[in-house]
Amino acid sequence: NSFCTLLGRTGMSQDRAADSVLVYARFRPFSQLETEKDARSCADVQEASVSITNQDEGTVHRFTFERVFDGATTQQAMYERVGAPVVADVLKGYNATVFAYGQTGSGKTYTMLGPPQHSGVTPRNQPTPRAGAPTAGNNDTFDLRGGNSGIAPRVIHDLFRRIGKAPTTTFFSVRVSYVEVYMERVNDLLDSTRQNLALREDSANKRFYVEGCCREEVASPEELLQLIDRGTRNRATASTRVNEYSSRSHSIVTIEVTSRDELRETVLNGRLHLVDLAGSEKVSKTHAHGQQLDEAKLINKSLTTLSLVIASLSEKKNQPTKHVPYRDSKLTRLLMDSLGGNARTALVVCCSPSNWNLAETTSTLRFGSLATKVENHAVVNQELSPEEMKALITKLEDEVKTLRHRGTGGGGGNLSAADQHELETLREDAKQLELVSRQYYKQCSIVESLRETVQEANERERIAVAKADAADVAADAMQAECAEWEKQHRAAHRDIAGLRRQLEAQKRISGYLRTTLATSHDALEAARVDLSSLKVTAAEVQLAIPALEAEAAALRKQLAEERAGRKRDAEAAEAKLSEAMREHALAKAAEEQAEAALKAEGSTSSAGAPEMVPVEEFDAAVRRAEVSEREHRALYDQWRELLSDSTASKLELEFCMKRLGLRNERVNNLQAALKKLKLDLRNEQALRVQDKAKFKETLALARDEAMKWHREAEKANAALTRRRSAYAAASPLSPQAAEQAVQQSSILATTPSRSLGSSFTRYIRGGGTPGNSASPVASPAGAGAASPSNHAHVDPSAAA
């Protein structure tokens, strides 16, 4: 790092010797509160300047910046001008910083992150509920992936997009950390359990870092955005009168990018700080109280310290020895590398255009104007390969020689004071360069000597290992043969055990097949019984069908006759009813005639004696009318009775037809069931034949496998005999000791295996089952009691 600093002062490893802080101004649209107060615009925005008019005093202040953005500027336009160059610098190996400054509610967080999602916004005027823990607003999330996302999400997407386009020989590593400065305490936003972390100074690089903060490695922009969203949820926020989502802490997102070029063997380290500062507050406008008032005091204090640092750095060019108060605040200590140090910095000052915030806007623009005078000294953080280092040292030595020639004999007495000072500085750099080159060459010689020593030691070790390997060849060969024999022995034993398991499985299968066949036989007998009963039932049904059809025909004939008789009765009743109705009409006409005569008699009583109708005729006419009416009613009742009898006969006929249909349906069902039972019976017989054939085939395969393993066991027995003879001839031990060694190495060949082999032999030759052998399997105790002479002849299964 010191060598890179030296190269930076000589101007040989960076594009610019001095980098001024790039300052941009952004004016937001009018807020709802400013609109309610009928505020007017006090800012005249031009492309690279802005004029602030104080109408009460009649003064105009003009400020010039790199670029000035009005309220209609989109987030994409902001990023292309501010964020895109920063990403390119970081990938080149520079340190870079982007931070937003301004009063509360001026749009800093909107510029850096984007608009908040209002699903979980803290209610207005609710005080911050924590002291050292996340506040009520920590449930808010920002639009990090939409069209209005801020500089930070766009930087992340652009960074990974450029990494994806890099050559395949370049490998990248991206790490991120996210901290906040809340009430002069540094908290880790990625791990809420890490609170009040300490700051440590890196004197070699002249910067401060947070000790113990979480540094997560990421491989995609989505992972990085998720970490930022998680950290933003843990950030201290609250709602004030002028800002619904007010940040109560300064947040710093640090992205470290390391790129390694495998072809050139160089490493570039770039670091990017994305800083969202808390806004300065006027208590008279925010109406802060309680916890929020304490937060506002410490926010204004840290921002005041930042202003003093900016002011001191702006005067550093004219007063090189002027003190810069970095240590007065933790915020300025963390930004020490970004302000006047090894970084390229972009500052966005966020302002309000209304005259209601005239004083705050003017103060913010003055801060930005001072920041334009701050000069950083950015260098490429590069680790050179040995070849590049040698070439660079040679080039610097040539330059030192040239400078020495100029300082000693090339007219050095005619130099001015400034040139003389520069010459002295170059001489000091040359001395440091000579010291660094000597140390480098000394370290190279040490490395070469160590490399030769390591090679010699490796050669000696290789020779010693070769001799040891040669000395152990005979023993290794014998051990390898014994191990191979033991491996084959165990494999054969495992195969015999597997064959035993297969036979047991075949036994179980045969038992299952026998049980299945017995069950099928029982089911077949039951099906036969059911078939016989169904045949009897079907015969009965066939016999009953003609009687039912004859009964139905008789019922149909009887119904037709009843219908004809009732029809004739109804016609006769209708005729009688018509006759009665005529007589009734005649009687009624006679009655009306009598009444008319009575009326005529009354009207002519004065003229003479009336012609009287006999009383007997009148009474007879009335009686005839009454009789006619009674007969009419009787005929009507008879006609109704005939109609009801006809309906009942019809219903009875329908019931008979329905019973006949049900009997036909039952006959059809019985016939279908009979066909199904016949089909099931044929299928069951076919399956029984297949199962018998399969069982015979499986049994034959098992016998073939047993004969095969029996032959293998005989071959293994012969091989064992040859091995024993060879081992006894080659071993320096006595014959008894050699025999014991062979017995110990072949301990797996136990008596149960011999019994199993003889059982298989009897099973194959006699056609029985292994479990039915005459001699039972001997116990391991019997095997241990066997005398050494028993090993003169080994059973084939024991060899296996």
Side-chain angles (χ1 to χ4, degrees), residues 184 298-312 324-333 339 367:
E184 286 302 308
L298 292 175
I299 290 172
N300 291 338
K301 180 182 178 182
S302 61
L303 293 177
T304 301
T305 304
L306 178 62
S307 299
L308 294 176
V309 169
I310 294 293
S312 300
V324 181
Y326 286 114
R327 299 178 181 273
D328 291 353
S329 172
K330 290 187 177 181
L331 173 64
T332 52
R333 272 184 273 178
L339 299 174
F367 175 87

PDB file of all heavy atoms in Angstrom, residues 184 298-312 324-333 339 367:
ATOM      1  N   GLU A 184     -24.295   8.871  17.423  1.00  0.00           N
ATOM      2  CA  GLU A 184     -22.847   8.680  17.621  1.00  0.00           C
ATOM      3  C   GLU A 184     -22.510   7.257  18.048  1.00  0.00           C
ATOM      4  O   GLU A 184     -21.507   7.035  18.725  1.00  0.00           O
ATOM      5  CB  GLU A 184     -22.301   9.697  18.637  1.00  0.00           C
ATOM      6  CG  GLU A 184     -22.199  11.103  18.087  1.00  0.00           C
ATOM      7  CD  GLU A 184     -21.325  11.196  16.845  1.00  0.00           C
ATOM      8  OE1 GLU A 184     -20.185  10.710  16.896  1.00  0.00           O
ATOM      9  OE2 GLU A 184     -21.797  11.726  15.822  1.00  0.00           O
ATOM     10  N   LEU A 298     -27.989  15.368  17.913  1.00  0.00           N
ATOM     11  CA  LEU A 298     -26.775  14.654  17.501  1.00  0.00           C
ATOM     12  C   LEU A 298     -26.642  14.617  15.976  1.00  0.00           C
ATOM     13  O   LEU A 298     -25.519  14.617  15.449  1.00  0.00           O
ATOM     14  CB  LEU A 298     -26.797  13.235  18.055  1.00  0.00           C
ATOM     15  CG  LEU A 298     -26.657  13.156  19.589  1.00  0.00           C
ATOM     16  CD1 LEU A 298     -26.808  11.726  20.062  1.00  0.00           C
ATOM     17  CD2 LEU A 298     -25.301  13.703  20.024  1.00  0.00           C
ATOM     18  N   ILE A 299     -27.767  14.591  15.239  1.00  0.00           N
ATOM     19  CA  ILE A 299     -27.689  14.673  13.777  1.00  0.00           C
ATOM     20  C   ILE A 299     -27.096  16.011  13.353  1.00  0.00           C
ATOM     21  O   ILE A 299     -26.163  16.075  12.537  1.00  0.00           O
ATOM     22  CB  ILE A 299     -29.075  14.456  13.154  1.00  0.00           C
ATOM     23  CG1 ILE A 299     -29.535  13.004  13.315  1.00  0.00           C
ATOM     24  CG2 ILE A 299     -29.079  14.829  11.675  1.00  0.00           C
ATOM     25  CD1 ILE A 299     -30.961  12.752  12.906  1.00  0.00           C
ATOM     26  N   ASN A 300     -27.604  17.111  13.917  1.00  0.00           N
ATOM     27  CA  ASN A 300     -27.087  18.439  13.564  1.00  0.00           C
ATOM     28  C   ASN A 300     -25.625  18.591  13.980  1.00  0.00           C
ATOM     29  O   ASN A 300     -24.826  19.224  13.277  1.00  0.00           O
ATOM     30  CB  ASN A 300     -27.935  19.520  14.224  1.00  0.00           C
ATOM     31  CG  ASN A 300     -29.331  19.596  13.628  1.00  0.00           C
ATOM     32  OD1 ASN A 300     -29.561  19.160  12.499  1.00  0.00           O
ATOM     33  ND2 ASN A 300     -30.281  20.138  14.377  1.00  0.00           N
ATOM     34  N   LYS A 301     -25.241  17.950  15.102  1.00  0.00           N
ATOM     35  CA  LYS A 301     -23.852  18.042  15.547  1.00  0.00           C
ATOM     36  C   LYS A 301     -22.916  17.340  14.568  1.00  0.00           C
ATOM     37  O   LYS A 301     -21.867  17.888  14.181  1.00  0.00           O
ATOM     38  CB  LYS A 301     -23.714  17.427  16.938  1.00  0.00           C
ATOM     39  CG  LYS A 301     -22.296  17.467  17.483  1.00  0.00           C
ATOM     40  CD  LYS A 301     -22.216  16.801  18.838  1.00  0.00           C
ATOM     41  CE  LYS A 301     -20.768  16.797  19.352  1.00  0.00           C
ATOM     42  NZ  LYS A 301     -20.656  16.118  20.662  1.00  0.00           N
ATOM     43  N   SER A 302     -23.267  16.137  14.142  1.00  0.00           N
ATOM     44  CA  SER A 302     -22.408  15.423  13.203  1.00  0.00           C
ATOM     45  C   SER A 302     -22.353  16.119  11.855  1.00  0.00           C
ATOM     46  O   SER A 302     -21.291  16.175  11.211  1.00  0.00           O
ATOM     47  CB  SER A 302     -22.902  13.991  13.035  1.00  0.00           C
ATOM     48  OG  SER A 302     -24.217  13.986  12.517  1.00  0.00           O
ATOM     49  N   LEU A 303     -23.471  16.718  11.400  1.00  0.00           N
ATOM     50  CA  LEU A 303     -23.457  17.438  10.127  1.00  0.00           C
ATOM     51  C   LEU A 303     -22.648  18.729  10.233  1.00  0.00           C
ATOM     52  O   LEU A 303     -22.002  19.154   9.261  1.00  0.00           O
ATOM     53  CB  LEU A 303     -24.884  17.746   9.677  1.00  0.00           C
ATOM     54  CG  LEU A 303     -25.730  16.511   9.306  1.00  0.00           C
ATOM     55  CD1 LEU A 303     -27.139  16.937   8.951  1.00  0.00           C
ATOM     56  CD2 LEU A 303     -25.100  15.763   8.138  1.00  0.00           C
ATOM     57  N   THR A 304     -22.662  19.349  11.407  1.00  0.00           N
ATOM     58  CA  THR A 304     -21.817  20.542  11.614  1.00  0.00           C
ATOM     59  C   THR A 304     -20.343  20.166  11.531  1.00  0.00           C
ATOM     60  O   THR A 304     -19.529  20.875  10.926  1.00  0.00           O
ATOM     61  CB  THR A 304     -22.137  21.173  12.976  1.00  0.00           C
ATOM     62  OG1 THR A 304     -23.521  21.537  13.012  1.00  0.00           O
ATOM     63  CG2 THR A 304     -21.287  22.406  13.201  1.00  0.00           C
ATOM     64  N   THR A 305     -19.978  19.034  12.138  1.00  0.00           N
ATOM     65  CA  THR A 305     -18.595  18.566  12.042  1.00  0.00           C
ATOM     66  C   THR A 305     -18.228  18.276  10.599  1.00  0.00           C
ATOM     67  O   THR A 305     -17.114  18.591  10.141  1.00  0.00           O
ATOM     68  CB  THR A 305     -18.413  17.308  12.893  1.00  0.00           C
ATOM     69  OG1 THR A 305     -18.818  17.595  14.235  1.00  0.00           O
ATOM     70  CG2 THR A 305     -16.971  16.851  12.887  1.00  0.00           C
ATOM     71  N   LEU A 306     -19.148  17.686   9.824  1.00  0.00           N
ATOM     72  CA  LEU A 306     -18.892  17.437   8.410  1.00  0.00           C
ATOM     73  C   LEU A 306     -18.676  18.749   7.658  1.00  0.00           C
ATOM     74  O   LEU A 306     -17.779  18.835   6.802  1.00  0.00           O
ATOM     75  CB  LEU A 306     -20.065  16.656   7.811  1.00  0.00           C
ATOM     76  CG  LEU A 306     -19.995  16.344   6.319  1.00  0.00           C
ATOM     77  CD1 LEU A 306     -18.790  15.473   6.010  1.00  0.00           C
ATOM     78  CD2 LEU A 306     -21.278  15.661   5.849  1.00  0.00           C
ATOM     79  N   SER A 307     -19.453  19.780   7.980  1.00  0.00           N
ATOM     80  CA  SER A 307     -19.270  21.096   7.333  1.00  0.00           C
ATOM     81  C   SER A 307     -17.905  21.670   7.676  1.00  0.00           C
ATOM     82  O   SER A 307     -17.232  22.258   6.815  1.00  0.00           O
ATOM     83  CB  SER A 307     -20.383  22.043   7.772  1.00  0.00           C
ATOM     84  OG  SER A 307     -21.651  21.550   7.404  1.00  0.00           O
ATOM     85  N   LEU A 308     -17.460  21.522   8.932  1.00  0.00           N
ATOM     86  CA  LEU A 308     -16.136  22.022   9.319  1.00  0.00           C
ATOM     87  C   LEU A 308     -15.031  21.276   8.581  1.00  0.00           C
ATOM     88  O   LEU A 308     -14.024  21.877   8.178  1.00  0.00           O
ATOM     89  CB  LEU A 308     -15.959  21.885  10.828  1.00  0.00           C
ATOM     90  CG  LEU A 308     -16.879  22.759  11.703  1.00  0.00           C
ATOM     91  CD1 LEU A 308     -16.666  22.456  13.178  1.00  0.00           C
ATOM     92  CD2 LEU A 308     -16.622  24.240  11.425  1.00  0.00           C
ATOM     93  N   VAL A 309     -15.190  19.985   8.409  1.00  0.00           N
ATOM     94  CA  VAL A 309     -14.196  19.219   7.660  1.00  0.00           C
ATOM     95  C   VAL A 309     -14.140  19.692   6.217  1.00  0.00           C
ATOM     96  O   VAL A 309     -13.056  19.887   5.638  1.00  0.00           O
ATOM     97  CB  VAL A 309     -14.537  17.714   7.741  1.00  0.00           C
ATOM     98  CG1 VAL A 309     -13.690  16.913   6.755  1.00  0.00           C
ATOM     99  CG2 VAL A 309     -14.318  17.196   9.152  1.00  0.00           C
ATOM    100  N   ILE A 310     -15.306  19.890   5.604  1.00  0.00           N
ATOM    101  CA  ILE A 310     -15.343  20.382   4.225  1.00  0.00           C
ATOM    102  C   ILE A 310     -14.690  21.765   4.130  1.00  0.00           C
ATOM    103  O   ILE A 310     -13.904  22.040   3.206  1.00  0.00           O
ATOM    104  CB  ILE A 310     -16.787  20.425   3.708  1.00  0.00           C
ATOM    105  CG1 ILE A 310     -17.365  19.009   3.597  1.00  0.00           C
ATOM    106  CG2 ILE A 310     -16.867  21.135   2.373  1.00  0.00           C
ATOM    107  CD1 ILE A 310     -16.741  18.151   2.553  1.00  0.00           C
ATOM    108  N   ALA A 311     -14.984  22.632   5.084  1.00  0.00           N
ATOM    109  CA  ALA A 311     -14.400  23.976   5.063  1.00  0.00           C
ATOM    110  C   ALA A 311     -12.883  23.903   5.218  1.00  0.00           C
ATOM    111  O   ALA A 311     -12.131  24.619   4.530  1.00  0.00           O
ATOM    112  CB  ALA A 311     -15.019  24.821   6.165  1.00  0.00           C
ATOM    113  N   SER A 312     -12.383  23.043   6.104  1.00  0.00           N
ATOM    114  CA  SER A 312     -10.938  22.926   6.293  1.00  0.00           C
ATOM    115  C   SER A 312     -10.260  22.361   5.050  1.00  0.00           C
ATOM    116  O   SER A 312      -9.187  22.814   4.642  1.00  0.00           O
ATOM    117  CB  SER A 312     -10.643  22.036   7.503  1.00  0.00           C
ATOM    118  OG  SER A 312     -11.209  22.588   8.685  1.00  0.00           O
ATOM    119  N   VAL A 324      -7.578  19.367  10.031  1.00  0.00           N
ATOM    120  CA  VAL A 324      -8.895  18.905   9.571  1.00  0.00           C
ATOM    121  C   VAL A 324      -9.504  18.074  10.700  1.00  0.00           C
ATOM    122  O   VAL A 324      -8.944  17.042  11.077  1.00  0.00           O
ATOM    123  CB  VAL A 324      -8.776  18.063   8.288  1.00  0.00           C
ATOM    124  CG1 VAL A 324     -10.161  17.617   7.823  1.00  0.00           C
ATOM    125  CG2 VAL A 324      -8.079  18.847   7.194  1.00  0.00           C
ATOM    126  N   PRO A 325     -10.647  18.485  11.262  1.00  0.00           N
ATOM    127  CA  PRO A 325     -11.211  17.807  12.454  1.00  0.00           C
ATOM    128  C   PRO A 325     -11.965  16.522  12.108  1.00  0.00           C
ATOM    129  O   PRO A 325     -13.169  16.392  12.370  1.00  0.00           O
ATOM    130  CB  PRO A 325     -12.136  18.866  13.038  1.00  0.00           C
ATOM    131  CG  PRO A 325     -12.598  19.657  11.867  1.00  0.00           C
ATOM    132  CD  PRO A 325     -11.431  19.699  10.908  1.00  0.00           C
ATOM    133  N   TYR A 326     -11.271  15.532  11.523  1.00  0.00           N
ATOM    134  CA  TYR A 326     -11.933  14.260  11.208  1.00  0.00           C
ATOM    135  C   TYR A 326     -12.416  13.554  12.469  1.00  0.00           C
ATOM    136  O   TYR A 326     -13.473  12.909  12.478  1.00  0.00           O
ATOM    137  CB  TYR A 326     -10.959  13.335  10.476  1.00  0.00           C
ATOM    138  CG  TYR A 326     -10.689  13.708   9.026  1.00  0.00           C
ATOM    139  CD1 TYR A 326      -9.424  14.132   8.627  1.00  0.00           C
ATOM    140  CD2 TYR A 326     -11.674  13.619   8.069  1.00  0.00           C
ATOM    141  CE1 TYR A 326      -9.151  14.448   7.317  1.00  0.00           C
ATOM    142  CE2 TYR A 326     -11.419  13.938   6.743  1.00  0.00           C
ATOM    143  CZ  TYR A 326     -10.153  14.360   6.373  1.00  0.00           C
ATOM    144  OH  TYR A 326      -9.906  14.676   5.064  1.00  0.00           O
ATOM    145  N   ARG A 327     -11.640  13.629  13.559  1.00  0.00           N
ATOM    146  CA  ARG A 327     -11.904  12.820  14.735  1.00  0.00           C
ATOM    147  C   ARG A 327     -13.014  13.370  15.624  1.00  0.00           C
ATOM    148  O   ARG A 327     -13.323  12.769  16.654  1.00  0.00           O
ATOM    149  CB  ARG A 327     -10.616  12.671  15.559  1.00  0.00           C
ATOM    150  CG  ARG A 327      -9.503  11.990  14.798  1.00  0.00           C
ATOM    151  CD  ARG A 327      -8.227  11.909  15.632  1.00  0.00           C
ATOM    152  NE  ARG A 327      -7.152  11.269  14.888  1.00  0.00           N
ATOM    153  CZ  ARG A 327      -6.931   9.963  14.842  1.00  0.00           C
ATOM    154  NH1 ARG A 327      -7.719   9.153  15.528  1.00  0.00           N
ATOM    155  NH2 ARG A 327      -5.936   9.466  14.141  1.00  0.00           N
ATOM    156  N   ASP A 328     -13.597  14.506  15.258  1.00  0.00           N
ATOM    157  CA  ASP A 328     -14.636  15.088  16.112  1.00  0.00           C
ATOM    158  C   ASP A 328     -15.974  14.356  15.987  1.00  0.00           C
ATOM    159  O   ASP A 328     -16.888  14.601  16.784  1.00  0.00           O
ATOM    160  CB  ASP A 328     -14.827  16.570  15.749  1.00  0.00           C
ATOM    161  CG  ASP A 328     -13.624  17.410  16.147  1.00  0.00           C
ATOM    162  OD1 ASP A 328     -12.722  16.853  16.809  1.00  0.00           O
ATOM    163  OD2 ASP A 328     -13.568  18.602  15.791  1.00  0.00           O
ATOM    164  N   SER A 329     -16.123  13.492  14.987  1.00  0.00           N
ATOM    165  CA  SER A 329     -17.378  12.769  14.790  1.00  0.00           C
ATOM    166  C   SER A 329     -17.077  11.420  14.154  1.00  0.00           C
ATOM    167  O   SER A 329     -16.124  11.275  13.376  1.00  0.00           O
ATOM    168  CB  SER A 329     -18.340  13.560  13.890  1.00  0.00           C
ATOM    169  OG  SER A 329     -19.477  12.795  13.559  1.00  0.00           O
ATOM    170  N   LYS A 330     -17.878  10.423  14.498  1.00  0.00           N
ATOM    171  CA  LYS A 330     -17.684   9.113  13.899  1.00  0.00           C
ATOM    172  C   LYS A 330     -18.034   9.112  12.417  1.00  0.00           C
ATOM    173  O   LYS A 330     -17.462   8.362  11.629  1.00  0.00           O
ATOM    174  CB  LYS A 330     -18.521   8.067  14.634  1.00  0.00           C
ATOM    175  CG  LYS A 330     -18.025   7.770  16.037  1.00  0.00           C
ATOM    176  CD  LYS A 330     -18.769   6.613  16.673  1.00  0.00           C
ATOM    177  CE  LYS A 330     -18.183   6.299  18.057  1.00  0.00           C
ATOM    178  NZ  LYS A 330     -18.863   5.160  18.707  1.00  0.00           N
ATOM    179  N   LEU A 331     -18.972   9.976  11.998  1.00  0.00           N
ATOM    180  CA  LEU A 331     -19.314  10.060  10.590  1.00  0.00           C
ATOM    181  C   LEU A 331     -18.125  10.544   9.771  1.00  0.00           C
ATOM    182  O   LEU A 331     -17.790   9.948   8.735  1.00  0.00           O
ATOM    183  CB  LEU A 331     -20.517  10.995  10.409  1.00  0.00           C
ATOM    184  CG  LEU A 331     -20.904  11.313   8.959  1.00  0.00           C
ATOM    185  CD1 LEU A 331     -21.365  10.043   8.242  1.00  0.00           C
ATOM    186  CD2 LEU A 331     -21.993  12.372   8.918  1.00  0.00           C
ATOM    187  N   THR A 332     -17.460  11.606  10.217  1.00  0.00           N
ATOM    188  CA  THR A 332     -16.322  12.135   9.463  1.00  0.00           C
ATOM    189  C   THR A 332     -15.133  11.176   9.504  1.00  0.00           C
ATOM    190  O   THR A 332     -14.345  11.126   8.561  1.00  0.00           O
ATOM    191  CB  THR A 332     -15.922  13.502  10.025  1.00  0.00           C
ATOM    192  OG1 THR A 332     -15.730  13.400  11.451  1.00  0.00           O
ATOM    193  CG2 THR A 332     -17.011  14.527   9.742  1.00  0.00           C
ATOM    194  N   ARG A 333     -15.004  10.404  10.571  1.00  0.00           N
ATOM    195  CA  ARG A 333     -13.932   9.419  10.590  1.00  0.00           C
ATOM    196  C   ARG A 333     -14.171   8.330   9.537  1.00  0.00           C
ATOM    197  O   ARG A 333     -13.235   7.890   8.868  1.00  0.00           O
ATOM    198  CB  ARG A 333     -13.830   8.786  11.985  1.00  0.00           C
ATOM    199  CG  ARG A 333     -12.917   9.568  12.927  1.00  0.00           C
ATOM    200  CD  ARG A 333     -12.777   8.859  14.256  1.00  0.00           C
ATOM    201  NE  ARG A 333     -13.843   9.237  15.170  1.00  0.00           N
ATOM    202  CZ  ARG A 333     -13.998   8.743  16.400  1.00  0.00           C
ATOM    203  NH1 ARG A 333     -13.141   7.832  16.839  1.00  0.00           N
ATOM    204  NH2 ARG A 333     -14.982   9.136  17.159  1.00  0.00           N
ATOM    205  N   LEU A 339     -13.144  12.074   1.707  1.00  0.00           N
ATOM    206  CA  LEU A 339     -12.988  13.528   1.698  1.00  0.00           C
ATOM    207  C   LEU A 339     -11.516  13.857   1.876  1.00  0.00           C
ATOM    208  O   LEU A 339     -10.967  13.756   2.967  1.00  0.00           O
ATOM    209  CB  LEU A 339     -13.820  14.164   2.805  1.00  0.00           C
ATOM    210  CG  LEU A 339     -15.329  13.926   2.719  1.00  0.00           C
ATOM    211  CD1 LEU A 339     -16.030  14.469   3.938  1.00  0.00           C
ATOM    212  CD2 LEU A 339     -15.889  14.552   1.456  1.00  0.00           C
ATOM    213  N   PHE A 367     -22.768  24.699   1.390  1.00  0.00           N
ATOM    214  CA  PHE A 367     -22.007  23.484   1.716  1.00  0.00           C
ATOM    215  C   PHE A 367     -21.500  22.822   0.433  1.00  0.00           C
ATOM    216  O   PHE A 367     -20.331  22.426   0.338  1.00  0.00           O
ATOM    217  CB  PHE A 367     -22.906  22.518   2.499  1.00  0.00           C
ATOM    218  CG  PHE A 367     -22.277  21.190   2.786  1.00  0.00           C
ATOM    219  CD1 PHE A 367     -21.496  21.010   3.915  1.00  0.00           C
ATOM    220  CD2 PHE A 367     -22.452  20.121   1.923  1.00  0.00           C
ATOM    221  CE1 PHE A 367     -20.911  19.780   4.175  1.00  0.00           C
ATOM    222  CE2 PHE A 367     -21.881  18.892   2.177  1.00  0.00           C
ATOM    223  CZ  PHE A 367     -21.100  18.724   3.311  1.00  0.00           C
TER     224      PHE A 367
END
